[in-house]
Structures are given as C-alpha cells and as structure tokens.
Amino acid sequence: MPAEPTKKTRGKTRGWIGAIAVTAVIALGNVAFWALPNQHERELPAVTEPLLGAAYSPFRPENDPKAGEEPTVDQVREDLALVATRFREIRTYSALGIQGEVPSLARERGLKVTMGSWLDKDEAKNDREIEALVQGARRNPNVTRVLVGNEAILRADQTPEQIIARIRQVKSQVRQPVSTAEPWHVWLEHPELGRAADFLAVHILPYWEGLTVEQSIDHTVAMYNRLKRMYPGKPILVAEAGWPSDGRAFNKAVPSIAEEAKFIRQLVARAKKEGINFYLMEAFDQPWKRYDEGGVGAYWGYWNADRQPKFDLTGPVDPLPAWPAIALAAALIALPLNLTFLARRRDMSWTGRLSFVVLVQAAAALVAWVGYRFAVQYMDVSGAVAGGVLAVLMGMLVILLLSQTLEFVEVLFARGRRRPSEPVEAAPEGYRLPKVSIHVPAYNEPPEMMRETLVALSRLDYPDFEVLVIDNNTKDEAVWRPLERICTELGPRFRFFHVAPLEGFKAGALNYALRHTAEDSEVIAVIDADYVVSPDWLRKMTPHFADEKVGFVQSPQDHRDWQEHPFKTATNWEYAGFFDIGMVQRNDHDAIVQHGTMTMIRRKALESVGGWSEWCICEDTELGLRLMENGWSSVYSNHRFGWGVTPDSFMAYKKQRFRWAYGGMQIMRGHLGYILGRKRSALKPMQKYHFLAGWAGWAADALGLIIAVLSVLWGALAIAFPAIVELPSSLFVVPALAGFAIRTMHIIGLYQGRVNCTIGQRLGACLAGLSLSFTIGTAVLYGLITRHLPFFRTPKAENQPAVMQAFQMARAETILAVALVGVAIGISIVYAPFVESRFWVALMLLQAANYGSSLVMALIAALPARKTRAARKAAKAQLLAAKTGQHA
C-alpha cells in the first residue's frame, strides 16, 4: 500500500491548491479590469453608403517626403483601388512629383479629384506648383475643383493678398472652380479671401480645439452654418474633417480608434441631415507627419499605414479591440511569480500575500500595455531606440518597486519572525565561552575620543579577551603616541600597533591585526574607533557561536550624539531604518549585511576564506557575502550594544554613503557570478535574492538620476522643438511616481511598526534618505565603470558663511533641481493643452524636490548646534548605559 501522506505533504498540497485558486481569481480580476471599460459602443449610426471623399497623401511608412522619397505608381494604384471601395472623391495636396500623377491614376478607378497645390515661402517652387496644377486640371476631366495652397495663410508662408493673386492667376487658366484650403477661422478673419474664391474649402478639426467627440459634431455644424451666413450663396466644402486614432489627449479631446469611429459615424449622419459636404481627414495614416504635427499627426487615416481598416462603419465599436490579447499577456506574465509566491510564502498572512500578488498583476498589466503600445506605434530608428531605452528603464523601475513592495508586505504581514536572534542571557550548558580578540583600526583619530572607546572595552564583562589597536599611516606622532599610552595604562589585555606605511586601508589594518592575534583566540570582533560598547556585548552575543555553522554575528550600529543637532537627529534615524527594518528581514533568510563595527567573526571561518579583501572599500560587507558563499551562516540581533558618533557635516555624510554605494558596486562586480549561479557556491536562493535586492536599491538612485537627467534633456528639446521632439508617453511616468509612493509608504508604514521614533523624526529620516539620492546614484554609476574609488572633491568654502558652505556641499544637486523646475515650468506652458504633460510636470517637480532635499539637509547641517537640556540628559543616559550595561 502507498504510504500515508504526511502532515507536511498535505500542507504543501493545500498550499498549492489555494495558490492556484487565488491566482485564478486574480487572473479573472485582470480580465475584468480590461473588459469593463472596453464594452461595445452600440448606439452609433451605421454608415452603409460610400462617403463623398477623403484627403489623400500617397506616402507609406518607408517614404520621407521631406527627403524626396515617394511611393511608386503601382503603390498609388493599389491605394486608389482601395479608396474607391469606400469613397467617391479624393483631394490632393501637391501638383508635383507622384502627387501630380494622382488625378490620371484616379480616373482609372472612377474617382473624382479636388486637385491641390502646396505653396510656401519658396516662390520659384510655388511657380512650378501652379504651373503643374493648371496643366493637371486641364488634362484630367475628373478634376472637379482646384485648390491653390493648403493652410499657407495659417502657417504665415503666404499673405491673403498673395493667395488671392494666385487664385486669380489660376482662375484665368482653368475651367474648374478655384479656392484655397484654410481652417474655418481664417475664412472668418479674411472675408476678402472668400470673395475671391469660387467656393470655400474649409478645415474643421475639433480635436485641435480640445473638444469631446460629442461637442465636436455640434461645433462642426455650427462653424459650417456660421460661414454659410457670412458667405450666402457661396458653395462650402469641408475639405478636412476627422479625428485621430492615437496620440496625446488635447484638453478634452482624446484620440483613440473608438473615438475616431464615433466621430466619423456621427458626422456622416449629421452631415446628411444638414446637407454638408465633407472630405474625411484622411484616407491613410501618414507616419511622416509626426515631425510636423507631433505624434498625433500620424493617426488621422481611416486605414492605417499598412492599408488595413482600423474599425467598422457598421455594428458595435470596441474601444480597445486588442484588450483580450493584452489581458491574456498580463495574466501570463504575472502567473509564474504569483503562483510560486502564494504557494511558498505561507509564513505571511493572506492580506500580505494578496497585496503583493495584486501589485504583481498590476505591474504585469502595465508591461503588457506598454508592449501593445510599442507594437501599434509608428516609429523610426531613433524613436524605437529612445522608446526602447525608456522601456528598459521602466522595466528596471518595475522590478525595483516589486522588490521594495515585497519587503513592505514581509514586514507588515509576516506571521512572526523566521529566525529570531535575541541576545543570549545565558550560554548553553556545556558551552565554553571562547577567547575574543577585539580589533580596533584607527587612522588619525582624536585621542580623547579613542580614550572613551578603549575605556569602555576595558569594562567588558567577559572572562577572556584581548584588544588590538592598529593605527595605520597616521603621520602626526602627537596623534598616535597618546593612543599608545592609553593602551599601556589599560593593561596587558591591550596591545597597540603603529604601522606606517601600511597598504590596504582598513582591510589592510585588520589583516595586520589578524596576523598578530593571540593563538588561542577563537573569535575576532571589530569595532570602529568612535564606538563606546556596553559591558555585556561579548557575554550576550558570543554564545551564538555555539552553533558550529555560524560564521559571524552582528549587532546594529547606533549613535550617542544625535540629540545635539537636528542634522544628526535626522541622520541617526535614517541609519536606524536599515537596522530595525532591513537587517531584521534579511536575518529571517540568513542574508544579513555584515558591517565593520559591532561585528564578530569565527576566526576559523575568517582564515578559511583568506581574511579581509583589500581590493574592496567595503571589506566588511564583502567578507560577509564571501562567508555565505562558503556555507557559513550568520546571526543578527537587533539589540544595541555600542554607540558611535554621527557624521559632523553633510559632506561627511555624503562621503560615507558614496563609499558604501561604490563599494556595493565593487562587491556586485566581484560576486555576481556566484549570485547568478555561473560559479558554484553555497548561497541559498533567498540569500541571492536579498543581495540582488540590496544592490537594486542602490541602483534605484542611479536609475532615478539617469531619468532626471534625461527628463531635463528631453524636456528641453520638447520645449524648443515641439513639432519634432515629443514628450514620451505618460506610461513611463507611472513606475517613477509609484516609486515615490512606495518610499513614502516605507517611511510611514515600516517606520511606524519597526522604528521607535516620533513622526517628526520619521520625516527627518525620510529627508535624510532623499538627500543622498544624487550621491548614491553617482557612486553607483562610478562603480559600474571604474575599479578604483574616484577622488571626492571637498568644496573649498571653509572661510565662507555657513549658508554658502551648504550651497557648495549640495551644488550639483541644487543645479539639477533648478533645471528640473525650469523644464517643468516650460512644459506646463508649451504643452498646457496636453493632459499627459501634467504627469511629466508632476514627475519633474517630485524629482526636483528629491534633489532639492540635499540643499535642505546641507542648510540644516549648517545651523548652529543647540544642545538642549533634554539632549544633554539623553546623551548622559546613553553613556551611562554603555558603562553599566543597563539598557533597553
């Protein structure tokens, strides 16, 4: 008989069944999300008879008329055969080149032609146009009307007087009625033009007036009747009337396939009732027009550029015909991650799991929608490259958002801790506390500060330890000699080494100490020169090494001077967020970040991996990852046992974070092969994930910096050349705006639950974190392209007022913030009617606030210190705790 399924097996089975059921519900919700807004438009009049006419430009996607590229005669014949199935007449825009051949080719299909000519400021070319127009009208009996120029007055290429003169010139040579084509308002403003023309060729395009489709039909009829009253008895032809199927929303006018279908079908019915003759704008989409009219200029055709009809003129109209394919793609993209997450993360409440999978589905929907938009857009090589870059950036943002959201739901909705690692109050029975060698690297450190550090170490409540102070490369003997005397005063446990020269920076000093460590020391502990430790540090943390798999043990960094200044307060709580939130989460998956103070390493483990790496400026984090790659486990106890000092200035704060981020990129480059599985290691999947996610967090600031710079450059070009450079789709703004939302949620939600600080301190931490975005982004970019830490220039402003020093310290960030604000203002003016521009303005202002926060922090740091009575009391209490070990 088969074995009975175990309780664990039954739990896994139920987990997968539940995951499949919930995933199916989420997928159905995804379908409903796409289906509900895409119901058929059923109340539309049907168009069953051929329409009067259409504007016809023969150019295909591969043609650039500005470069003299034209379709072949056979291609024009194919077009006209298709046009004749829906329209009785066409109008053209030029009498030269292939367009001059259209009337004779149209005659083969029985199409009548309103023949046009293109007039601009080149009078010699205008003469050729007029001559060709006259000859074409004479040769082709199917030419029923003649147009002298198209919107030449609107463009200010010709004056009304020049156009009137050309009309009279042509009228004297042809038998057909002669006019020019202009928008309705030009005819109202220049009655002399109407008197000179045989008929009015009027353009009425309500999209450009920002009206809805429903308003547009009434507007078209109203403008027609207004002209009719102004010019009684004068024939009127609406020479262009249409709606774009794609492009930017212009005030209330929203371009789409459904809106184009609604406009045409409603206008046909209304025009028939009112007796209005109109030509549809236009027969085929013309991608080249996006350079003159923006992206929307490419999408006015009844047929697309591939000569396929966009919609039916009878029956229901789908607002988005492709929605089933988009919904399916979104469901398939999200399916693997959602199914696996729901089945495996049963350590999290259903609220947390559902929150995450819904966001994953939303991200998949965004990706599917962007993919669809790329597929239906007309793009040249430059547009495809630019769009591809934006798509890659957006994809990276989506991944980063999902990573941050996973941390968010893990923190808020976890069912307890997976690996609670509290300080050990009593060592396990039979476990002998090992000897600990404490290494204190120092370089040019103030003797007064070092005395506090070393005296605190002398008070450790631990049976067997030594302290090695390694002063490396301090040149001033007046600085390092007092340290030597302090160590002598504190007794034989303390040994002092002054080594100069010594290469390898801090890692070199630690390797030197390792070589001089007592033979019987089994654990190496490291603290920074400014740290005052609690007497119970070793006694409560060393017992974690009773587990032979543990390679290193970590306690958080903390600070003792943060109460004396608002800048220090903000930075202190910004640090606390990492230790109280991120490190706790990483400990659940045995994936903590080792940092170079308050850390303890099993000596055997340290020596087995070759000691500290001197090639990396973040030798502590690199060592921790290397230990994990070799199968060693870690322990993190979120309990404060030591307190250092916060950076004294904004520049010091920036330099520290630059070093961390740059070192993170060094580590990534050195270890990515192990993370991705190209090299063998003992790393577990969640360890790999957390290190990738950590690096991605650094990369997010680099990505934000790239997007900010691109926003300024692209926005400036879009302002200067709006007809050539268009703002990217607002779809690309969504992940960036979501990033700001996630960061805000992180501060409000995660700090609320994990960090014991006030709302004001929370906001200060948020400001401090934002102020480093530029520094981290720059460090990451440097780290990806260089192998050695670049020189970090200190602004030469020591003798200037504090405010000027602040501006110097945040100069680059301030310049970028001002540029973003300037471009945002320019876009809000130039693109005021375009609804989507508001998203870009919002993004740029948020980016400006992000980088402007650096100046704010620099100004706060420049404030004079005001050590309040409460701050002095808190500082004394913390130092007392360090001396006695009586702390929370």
Side-chain angles (χ1 to χ4, degrees), residues 564-571 648-650 760 763-765 767-768 771 802-803 805-807 809-810 852-866:
E564 65 188 38
H565 195 280
F567 170 75
K568 290 175 174 285
T569 299
T571 57
D648 289 322
S649 69
F650 184 59
L763 293 175
L767 179 66
S771 72
V803 172
Q805 292 184 40
F807 274 102
M809 289 179 183
S853 64
S854 298
L855 178 60
V856 175
M857 278 296 288
L859 289 170
I860 293 173
L863 293 173
R866 293 180 180 176

Side-chain angles (χ1 to χ4, degrees), residues 833-877:
F834 293 95
V835 177
E836 290 190 344
S837 68
R838 298 167 196 170
F839 291 98
W840 279 99
V841 170
L843 174 63
M844 290 183 181
L845 292 178
L846 283 172
Q847 290 173 315
N850 186 19
Y851 298 112
S853 64
S854 298
L855 178 60
V856 175
M857 278 296 288
L859 289 170
I860 293 173
L863 293 173
R866 293 180 180 176
K867 196 165 186 181
T868 65
R869 181 181 299 176
R872 288 194 297 271
K873 184 177 179 182
K876 287 181 180 179

Side-chain angles (χ1 to χ4, degrees), residues 81-242:
L82 187 57
V83 169
T85 64
R86 178 57 67 185
F87 301 95
R88 301 194 301 271
E89 301 180 13
I90 59 172
R91 66 161 289 195
T92 61
Y93 289 87
S94 175
L96 298 176
I98 191 65
Q99 294 186 78
E101 303 295 324
V102 169
S104 62
L105 297 173
R107 191 166 72 245
E108 298 173 3
R109 291 292 174 178
L111 290 167
K112 294 181 180 180
V113 178
T114 295
M115 190 174 183
S117 57
W118 189 267
L119 303 184
D120 52 30
K121 294 181 179 180
D122 185 345
E123 293 300 334
K125 186 184 77 64
N126 292 346
D127 289 339
R128 295 196 300 274
E129 279 276 1
I130 294 300
E131 177 61 26
L133 177 67
V134 169
Q135 294 303 319
R138 287 176 174 176
R139 285 197 305 266
N140 296 287
N142 62 323
V143 174
T144 57
R145 303 180 192 87
V146 173
L147 296 176
V148 178
N150 181 77
E151 297 186 348
I153 297 173
L154 177 69
R155 297 192 310 274
D157 285 346
Q158 295 278 292
T159 65
E161 293 73 22
Q162 288 174 305
I163 291 295
I164 290 171
R166 290 289 190 179
I167 288 175
R168 289 171 177 164
Q169 176 188 355
V170 173
K171 285 174 68 173
S172 67
Q173 299 180 67
V174 301
R175 58 178 176 77
Q176 294 92 338
V178 181
S179 184
T180 188
E182 292 288 346
W184 59 269
H185 64 86
V186 174
W187 292 102
L188 290 175
E189 294 166 1
H190 299 284
E192 71 279 13
L193 188 65
R195 289 192 293 270
D198 293 326
F199 67 99
L200 273 58
V202 183
H203 296 172
I204 306 178
L205 301 168
Y207 164 82
W208 290 113
E209 297 177 60
L211 304 177
T212 66
V213 166
E214 289 72 18
Q215 294 170 330
S216 297
I217 303 302
D218 291 336
H219 174 76
T220 301
V221 174
M223 293 307 101
Y224 178 88
N225 288 333
R226 188 174 174 184
L227 290 168
K228 192 174 181 181
R229 289 192 299 271
M230 183 172 179
Y231 299 97
K234 183 80 69 172
I236 299 176
L237 171 68
V238 179
E240 286 184 1

Side-chain angles (χ1 to χ4, degrees), residues 320-626:
L320 182 62
W323 77 260
I326 300 172
L328 177 62
L332 292 177
I333 292 170
L335 179 65
L337 179 57
N338 279 352
L339 191 60
T340 304
F341 181 82
L342 288 168
R344 294 185 178 275
R345 293 310 304 270
R346 287 178 291 163
D347 60 319
M348 194 181 300
S349 72
W350 272 108
T351 303
R353 281 188 279 176
L354 287 174
S355 299
F356 184 71
V357 297
V358 167
L359 184 68
V360 170
Q361 187 61 70
L366 179 64
V367 171
W369 174 247
V370 171
Y372 165 75
R373 296 294 298 146
F374 265 90
V376 299
Q377 293 284 306
Y378 300 129
M379 292 186 185
D380 57 11
V381 174
S382 62
V385 170
V389 170
L390 282 173
V392 169
L393 293 177
M394 190 191 74
M396 294 171 66
L397 272 175
V398 167
I399 293 171
L400 291 171
L401 288 177
L402 291 178
S403 172
Q404 291 176 344
T405 304
L406 178 58
E407 180 187 33
F408 190 81
V409 297
E410 277 188 331
V411 170
L412 294 185
F413 303 108
R415 293 169 173 163
R417 301 261 57 85
R418 285 187 168 199
R419 296 176 74 232
S421 302
E422 297 301 320
V424 181
E425 294 299 329
E429 188 175 349
Y431 178 69
R432 178 188 59 81
L433 291 175
K435 182 173 183 176
V436 178
S437 181
I438 304 171
H439 298 171
V440 188
Y443 168 70
N444 210 33
E445 304 292 353
E448 300 80 10
M449 181 188 74
M450 286 290 294
R451 178 177 290 277
E452 288 187 52
T453 299
L454 298 176
V455 168
L457 288 174
S458 71
R459 296 194 178 108
L460 284 171
D461 177 18
Y462 195 76
D464 195 5
F465 70 93
E466 66 171 358
V467 179
L468 276 63
V469 180
I470 312 93
D471 181 87
N472 61 311
N473 300 308
T474 300
K475 296 179 180 179
D476 189 350
E477 191 169 347
V479 173
W480 66 263
R481 281 294 183 188
L483 303 187
E484 185 178 41
R485 286 196 293 271
I486 294 170
C487 290
T488 301
E489 293 170 8
L490 292 174
R493 286 183 188 269
F494 289 76
R495 290 191 283 155
F496 177 80
F497 302 87
H498 171 69
V499 190
L502 179 65
E503 295 184 354
F505 302 102
K506 183 179 178 180
L510 292 173
N511 281 330
Y512 181 91
L514 184 60
R515 293 193 294 271
H516 291 80
T517 296
E519 290 294 331
D520 57 343
S521 295
E522 299 177 43
V523 173
I524 307 297
V526 179
I527 66 165
D528 284 346
D530 61 326
Y531 264 71
V532 174
V533 299
S534 168
D536 57 351
W537 171 41
L538 297 184
R539 181 169 51 80
K540 291 186 177 180
M541 292 300 291
T542 306
H544 286 294
F545 287 104
D547 183 347
E548 290 295 326
K549 297 191 293 294
V550 171
F552 65 100
V553 174
Q554 188 73 58
S555 303
Q557 294 179 207
D558 205 352
H559 306 94
R560 64 180 186 269
D561 63 339
W562 61 268
Q563 302 95 339
E564 65 188 38
H565 195 280
F567 170 75
K568 290 175 174 285
T569 299
T571 57
N572 173 76
W573 292 111
E574 190 267 335
Y575 290 124
F578 173 72
F579 292 104
D580 291 346
I581 300 170
M583 285 286 278
V584 172
Q585 287 309 117
R586 296 177 73 119
N587 184 63
D588 277 352
H589 302 286
D590 194 10
I592 67 170
V593 173
Q594 185 177 20
H595 44 94
T597 189
M598 305 307 299
T599 190
M600 304 168 68
I601 313 114
R602 189 186 296 272
R603 183 179 186 176
K604 181 173 68 174
L606 178 59
E607 291 177 338
S608 72
V609 298
W612 303 87
S613 292
E614 298 180 18
W615 58 267
C616 181
I617 62 172
C618 285
E619 70 293 323
D620 42 12
T621 304
E622 193 278 336
L623 173 63
L625 178 55
R626 193 152 33 98

